[in-house]
């Protein structure tokens, strides 16, 4: 049995080496770019109090001022420094993105594991996944947000509810194929319990995949958080990029020259963070996902 | 497989992009170099007006909103009296209004030559019919207004005598100048006015405009009534177009698709529109109020000293400057708008955080654990401040108030909730007798709460029959006595005296904090039409703007 385990895990590096050099390089470059973006944003989030010139809740200047030496991105409708708001907004956006994606990963992995390991139960569970997958995204998001009320916790819950389904599918197909492998059949026939097999053999081989899914889902979660906040369905009193856009819209910045410093920066930051996580997730998945790896 | 990954993130990305693009819509702007005439055109063939709300069928029984719905409806209908530029009721359909000394009988002499849109004459019978029809009809604003009229009799073709159940010093402004008169020959056959079929036959009023085309949710079109008894209206045709939101309507105004809009623009847009070259903004004080209310059953809001400290700690001028960019009037401690004839100048509105802190110290609310927040019986003095999430300006006000109260050691947690949730907490069932379930909230009453001074009693009386707007649950015997007096005093001079006393009482007792009154600001194209007539407190978007100078009340 030990021997089998080794042969099962050994081919991985060989398969990676067999891939075409060009496509591997490209994946790596994209992955590095994504990692750099994510790391940079993470650093900004952690060092926000050091980097931000003002407290984002403090009314530091005249409302609606254009960019100046004191306020590099100007101020918003109540005189809060927009640059500081962007910097602190990184915290909210990343936290919501990561926590929601993590919750979705846990939910998706559990459903995927059970669904793949117990095929009959899985057939039922997967119909539930299908339902979540075909639900129209934004209307459901709006209904849920209106129903649950506005708070950052609810935002996380709503996003997690909407994005766990694809993870469950990917994990399930991996578990389905794992569960039929010889060494697992052998372990089962030697009397190993379900719990033991899942913990010892199945989970370790799906966890990596789940992490890849998680990184990619973070990108979607950040965008969803921004959409919700922009629509005023998040907590408008939380300083996230989306709520900065919400206030810009509510106070008419879209119709005045202020869009250049009030709308563009949060928009670009949302794009950048989504791109960073998407690239990183793509690169990770190319390496981890067995179906992609063999193609 | 790259595609699949992209798809997942692309859906929300696309959504966000669409939302943002939708919002910027007309970002290009229309920089018209031609300078605009400040006065503006006094007459026009067509005026296109933008609205942002679904208004339904524009009849006195089916209109949807108080503003602009009722204002649009009243283009086609008239009341017996009409508020003039100062908000004072003046003779209108009724040329003479005489009340008996006991205030129980009103004798109205109707104006000559008033015709309905279909050419029939408006007679005393129509007035009597209207009174009876409203009273017998479904509940509503006009049925409520008429409830106190016990009898209406047509003495002859043009004289009506109304008998009241109890004397009402606000009868002229609240009833005569508010209730539209209906045509008997049109409405007598309609048994269910709320479901009345809406077509040319029910569109008959006596107002300056006739509603000729109605497509609720899309547009309405009004044509001037050439034989209008106050003179031919200044604009021949009014086209009212509905927009999804303010941004869309503002964009349409800037691009010249519409000429004005029946929605006050937000303060930051005033300079932008004025700077656009072809547009101007008519700005006028309005009576709409913005209040900070609290549940007086929650300790320590039951103590007048504490409430006074809260009022002292709020810097109203700062709220006006920072949130409304100056386009608002500071709220008066005694509730009444400074432009109102009832305003008592002796009531001072003071911002003094040190005095507030002293007051709080005096009533034993001190910060014993030095965390910046005072304690009440060991528990930290902290409250939830509710604010409707659909009102961006009020949310900003709430944030600032939270900060200002924090400076004197009162903790405030701002919660933005759905408007319905807020109403359910502050004014459950729109009936103050059902109690209330909140600590602090941002609140506001419409302009009519100020236009009629009698409404001041309804804000503070603990008797639900009089104090039907007392959402803070405030109760004080002396205030109650003044409220009753205000509600019944018929002599105008004596009533003004009572109104002054009640304002002083409110300033002292602080049953709520009147924060500010946002000014009305309406963008318009002066090249098309600009001869606006504002009613103090209600703004320029009423039929008065379209009635010729010699026909003004």
């Amino acid at each position: 049995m030990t021997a089998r385990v080794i042969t099962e895990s050994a081919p991985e590096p060989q398969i990676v080496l067999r891939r075409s050099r060009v496509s591997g390089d490209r994946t790596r470059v994209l992955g590095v770019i994504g990692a750099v973006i994510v790391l940079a944003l993470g650093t900004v989030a952690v060092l926000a109090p050091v980097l931000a010139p003002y407290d984002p809740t403090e009314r530091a200047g005249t409302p609606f001022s254009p960019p100046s030496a004191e306020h590099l991105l100007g101020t918003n409708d109540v005189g809060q420094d927009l640059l500081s708001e962007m910097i602190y907004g990184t915290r909210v956006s990343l936290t919501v993105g990561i926590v929601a994606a993590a919750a979705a990963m846990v939910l998706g992995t559990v459903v995927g594991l059970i669904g793949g390991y117990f095929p009959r139960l899985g057939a039922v569970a997967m119909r539930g996944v299908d339902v979540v997958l075909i639900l129209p995204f934004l209307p459901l998001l709006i209904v849920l947000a209106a129903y649950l009320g506005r708070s950052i916790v609810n935002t996380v819950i709503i996003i997690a509810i909407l994005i766990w389904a694809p993870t469950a599918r990917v994990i399930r197909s991996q578990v389905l194929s794992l569960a039929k492998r010889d060494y697992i059949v052998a372990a089962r026939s030697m009397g190993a319990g379900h719990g033991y097999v899942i913990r010892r053999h199945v989970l370790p081989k799906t966890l990596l995949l789940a992490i890849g899914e998680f990184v990619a889902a973070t990108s979607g979660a950040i965008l969803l958080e921004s959409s919700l906040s922009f629509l005023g369905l998040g907590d408008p009193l939380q300083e996230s990029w989306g709520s900065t856009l919400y206030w810009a819209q509510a106070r008419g910045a879209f119709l005045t020259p202020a869009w250049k410093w009030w709308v563009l920066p949060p928009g670009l930051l949302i794009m950048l963070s989504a791109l960073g996580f998407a690239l990183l997730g793509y690169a990770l998945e190319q390496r981890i996902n067995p179906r992609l790896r063999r193609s | 497989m790259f595609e699949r990954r992209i798809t997942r993130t692309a859906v929300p990305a696309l959504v966000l992009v669409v939302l943002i693009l939708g919002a910027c819509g007309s970002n290009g702007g229309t920089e018209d170099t031609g300078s605009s005439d400040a006065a503006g055109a006094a007459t026009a063939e067509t005026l296109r007006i933008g609205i942002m709300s679904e208004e339904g069928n524009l009849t006195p029984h089916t209109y949807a909103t108080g503003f602009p719905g009722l204002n649009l409806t009243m283009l086609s209908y008239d009341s017996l009296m009409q508020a003039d530029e100062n908000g004072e009721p003046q003779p209108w359909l009724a040329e003479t209004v005489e009340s008996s000394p006991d205030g129980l009988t009103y004798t109205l002499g109707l104006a000559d030559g008033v015709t309905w849109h279909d050419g029939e004459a408006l007679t005393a019978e129509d007035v009597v019919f209207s009174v009876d029809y409203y009273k017998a009809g479904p509940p509503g604003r006009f049925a409520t207004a008429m409830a106190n009229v016990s009898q209406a009799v047509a003495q002859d073709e043009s004289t009506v005598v109304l008998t009241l159940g109890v004397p009402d010093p606000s009868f002229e402004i609240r009833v005569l100048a508010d209730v539209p008169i209906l045509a008997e020959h049109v409405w007598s056959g309609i048994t269910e006015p709320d479901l009345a079929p809406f077509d040319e036959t029910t569109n008959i009023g006596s107002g300056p405009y006739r509603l000729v085309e109605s497509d609720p949710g899309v547009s309405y079109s009004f044509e001037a009534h050439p034989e209008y008894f106050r003179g031919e209206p200044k604009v021949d045709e009014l086209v009212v177009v509905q927009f999804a939101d303010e941004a869309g309507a503002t964009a349409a105004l800037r691009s010249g698709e519409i000429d004005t809009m029946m929605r006050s623009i937000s303060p930051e847009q005033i300079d932008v529109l004025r700077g656009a070259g072809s547009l101007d903004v008519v700005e006028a004080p309005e009576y709409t109020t913005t209040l900070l209310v609290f549940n007086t059953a929650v300790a320590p809001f039951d103590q007048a000293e504490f409430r006074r400290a809260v009022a002292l700690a709020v810097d109203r001028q700062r709220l006006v400057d920072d949130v409304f960019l100056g386009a608002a009037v500071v709220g008066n401690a005694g509730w009444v708008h400074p432009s109102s004839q009832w305003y008592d100048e002796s009531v001072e509105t003071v911002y003094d955080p040190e005095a507030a802190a002293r007051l709080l110290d005096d009533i034993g609310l001190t910060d014993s654990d030095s965390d910046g927040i005072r304690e009440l019986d060991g528990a930290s003095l902290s409250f939830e401040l509710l604010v409707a999430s659909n009102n961006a300006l009020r949310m900003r006000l709430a944030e600032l108030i939270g900060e200002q109260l924090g400076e004197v050691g009162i903790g405030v947690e701002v919660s933005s909730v759905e408007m319905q949730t807020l109403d359910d907490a502050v004014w459950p069932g729109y009936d103050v007798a059902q109690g209330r379930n909140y600590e602090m909230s941002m609140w506001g009453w419409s302009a009519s709460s100020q236009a009629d001074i009698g409404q001041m009693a309804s804000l503070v009386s603990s008797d639900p029959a009089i104090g039907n707007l007392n959402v803070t649950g405030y109760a004080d015997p002396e205030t109650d006595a003044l409220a009753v007096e205000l509600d019944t005093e018929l002599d105008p001079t004596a009533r003004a005296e009572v109104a002054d006393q009640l304002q002083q009482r409110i300033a002292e007792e602080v049953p709520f904090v009147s924060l500010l009154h946002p000014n009305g600001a309406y963008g318009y194209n002066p090249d098309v039409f600009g001869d606006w007539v504002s009613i103090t407190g209600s703004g320029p978007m009423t039929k008065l703007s379209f009635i010729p100078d010699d026909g003004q009340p």
Side-chain angles (χ1 to χ4, degrees), chain A residues 29-221:
Chain A
V29 170
L30 289 178
V32 168
I33 293 175
V36 168
I37 295 175
V38 169
L39 268 178
L41 289 172
T43 315
V44 170
V46 172
L47 297 181
V50 184
L51 294 174
Y54 300 93
D55 177 347
T57 59
E58 177 200 338
R59 278 168 297 125
T62 325
F64 295 100
S65 349
S68 62
E70 293 96 74
H71 304 284
L72 291 177
L73 290 177
T75 60
N76 70 3
D77 57 319
V78 283
Q80 292 159 346
D81 182 56
L82 279 168
L83 178 63
S84 309
E85 213 168 85
M86 290 302 97
I87 292 172
Y88 273 89
T90 316
R91 286 187 156 186
V92 179
S93 296
L94 287 196
T95 311
V96 170
I98 289 172
V99 175
M105 180 188 78
V106 171
L107 190 62
T109 306
V110 170
V111 173
L113 265 181
I114 295 172
Y117 195 77
F118 305 106
R120 252 186 233 165
L121 194 62
V124 179
M126 283 308 122
R127 297 297 77 77
V129 170
D130 287 346
V131 169
V132 177
L133 278 174
I134 59 164
L135 281 171
F137 237 44
L138 199 67
L140 182 69
L141 199 70
I142 292 170
V143 170
L144 279 176
Y147 179 72
L148 291 175
R150 288 142 222 281
S151 78
I152 197 158
V153 177
N154 285 346
T155 308
V156 168
I157 293 173
I158 291 162
I159 295 173
I161 288 175
L162 282 170
I163 61 172
W164 63 273
T167 309
R169 276 208 162 268
V170 174
I171 299 288
R172 172 176 175 263
S173 51
Q174 167 81 342
V175 175
L176 269 180
S177 98
L178 278 176
K180 292 203 184 77
R181 305 248 169 122
D182 294 348
Y183 71 102
I184 289 189
V185 176
R188 288 284 301 130
S189 55
M190 285 162 84
H194 290 311
Y196 174 80
V197 174
I198 290 178
R199 219 171 43 244
R200 182 79 180 77
H201 296 299
V202 180
L203 197 57
K205 307 214 80 189
T206 49
L207 210 54
L208 210 55
L209 194 58
I211 289 171
E213 286 290 313
F214 157 73
V215 173
T218 307
S219 159

